[in-house]
Amino acid sequence: MEKLEQLYEGKAKKVFLTPDPEILIVSYKDDATAFNGLKKGTIAGKGVINNRMSNLLMQLLEKAGVPTHFVEELNERETAVKRVSIVPLEVIIRNIAAGSFSKRYGVPEGVVFDEPTIEFSYKNDELGDPLMNSYHALALKLATREEIELIKSYAFKVDEILRSFWAECGVTLVDFKLEFGRLSDGTIVLADEISPDTCRLWDSATGEKLDKDRFRRDMGGVEDAYAEVMDRLLKNL
Ligand code: UDP
């Protein structure tokens, strides 16, 4: 697969055109940002881990019936994906209180929910990704009612599959963010990435954080945490 000109550069990835108009190449960087780009840094080796991990998890999800953008891993940092137009919604599933949920509702981190929750943020950097409900998304024509229903059902299915997979690895899936896109024929597929950048992953035995919160909160051991979850994933594939 030949890499043509760069289509755009995001915070953690670059995207390139290919000779096939329906296929793009994603290249994962070691750059890390947090708090809507206010905090910047690098996590050595992150791009390699996120590329592999996201691809392995997407393949697991495909097998379980969730359509994704994944096509083929090209090398340690680059993957061919189906070209989509991203639905500008960040879809967040939570199993345990943490992060902005804990802050917003005054709930200690670690409170386990009886049922997973779902929320949407409007993917818009200038506005700081404001929280929105599905009626707001409909009003702004970000997606149709049918697309929103499908996205919700995929998101809960992803949670079930990943929660049980990570549990086998001795890792608790606390929460995560998904993005969906539309193929040229309108089919909704899971896109973007699934990695310690976009999931909260806690060691099931010790509660130790094995994700980007170590970077956000200056806890140290960021590279080791990413390597540790990758290692556990590979051992349990
Ligand atoms: N998340 C993400 N990108 C974002 C916001 C959140 O990947 O722009 C992920 C985050 O890593 C966590 C989950 O979504 O796993 C829930 O994040 P939360 O709303 O608690 O926000 P945060 O505390 O990360 O600001």
Side-chain angles (χ1 to χ4, degrees), residues 171-230:
V171 172
T172 303
L173 179 60
V174 175
D175 58 29
F176 57 92
K177 184 261 304 177
L178 300 175
E179 293 183 24
F180 292 86
R182 297 180 191 95
L183 301 178
S184 57
D185 69 359
T187 306
I188 294 282
V189 300
L190 181 60
D192 194 48
E193 68 176 282
I194 308 174
S195 72
D197 273 14
T198 64
C199 302
R200 283 194 172 92
L201 302 165
W202 294 354
D203 184 310
S204 304
T206 65
E208 191 191 353
K209 296 187 195 306
L210 300 171
D211 57 59
K212 196 170 148 187
D213 269 349
R214 301 199 76 88
F215 168 79
R216 294 189 189 99
R217 302 176 191 189
D218 295 317
M219 297 169 76
V222 187
E223 283 86 359
D224 287 349
Y226 278 63
E228 173 67 23
V229 270
M230 185 66 204

Side-chain angles (χ1 to χ4, degrees), residues 54-223:
S54 191
N55 291 342
L56 292 167
L57 295 176
M58 294 249 181
Q59 287 171 87
L60 189 80
L61 294 170
E62 279 281 351
K63 272 191 217 134
V66 179
T68 78
H69 72 164
F70 177 79
V71 176
E72 184 191 4
E73 189 168 300
L74 301 172
N75 57 55
E76 63 176 13
R77 284 183 188 269
E78 295 180 330
T79 296
V81 298
K82 293 176 188 161
R83 185 173 191 160
V84 297
S85 74
I86 290 286
V87 176
L89 289 172
E90 298 198 336
V91 182
I92 292 169
I93 297 277
R94 302 177 188 272
N95 297 303
I96 297 177
S100 68
F101 184 97
S102 289
K103 207 170 158 205
R104 194 184 319 131
Y105 300 119
V107 188
E109 283 208 325
V111 172
V112 181
F113 304 148
D114 291 341
E115 299 275 339
T117 68
I118 190 164
E119 70 203 46
F120 298 112
S121 292
Y122 183 19
K123 203 172 139 60
N124 184 315
D125 280 339
E126 284 100 272
L127 299 176
D129 298 341
L131 191 64
M132 66 168 31
N133 67 35
S134 52
Y135 294 91
H136 299 148
L138 266 179
L140 294 174
K141 298 196 192 303
L142 304 184
T144 66
R145 190 188 299 268
E146 292 72 26
E147 285 174 332
I148 290 170
E149 283 314 307
L150 191 58
I151 285 171
K152 277 189 191 164
S153 72
Y154 284 154
F156 283 119
K157 191 163 176 186
V158 169
D159 184 49
E160 273 182 32
I161 297 159
L162 294 188
R163 201 154 23 109
S164 73
F165 176 74
W166 281 119
E168 288 166 25
C169 305
V171 172
T172 303
L173 179 60
V174 175
D175 58 29
F176 57 92
K177 184 261 304 177
L178 300 175
E179 293 183 24
F180 292 86
R182 297 180 191 95
L183 301 178
S184 57
D185 69 359
T187 306
I188 294 282
V189 300
L190 181 60
D192 194 48
E193 68 176 282
I194 308 174
S195 72
D197 273 14
T198 64
C199 302
R200 283 194 172 92
L201 302 165
W202 294 354
D203 184 310
S204 304
T206 65
E208 191 191 353
K209 296 187 195 306
L210 300 171
D211 57 59
K212 196 170 148 187
D213 269 349
R214 301 199 76 88
F215 168 79
R216 294 189 189 99
R217 302 176 191 189
D218 295 317
M219 297 169 76
V222 187
E223 283 86 359

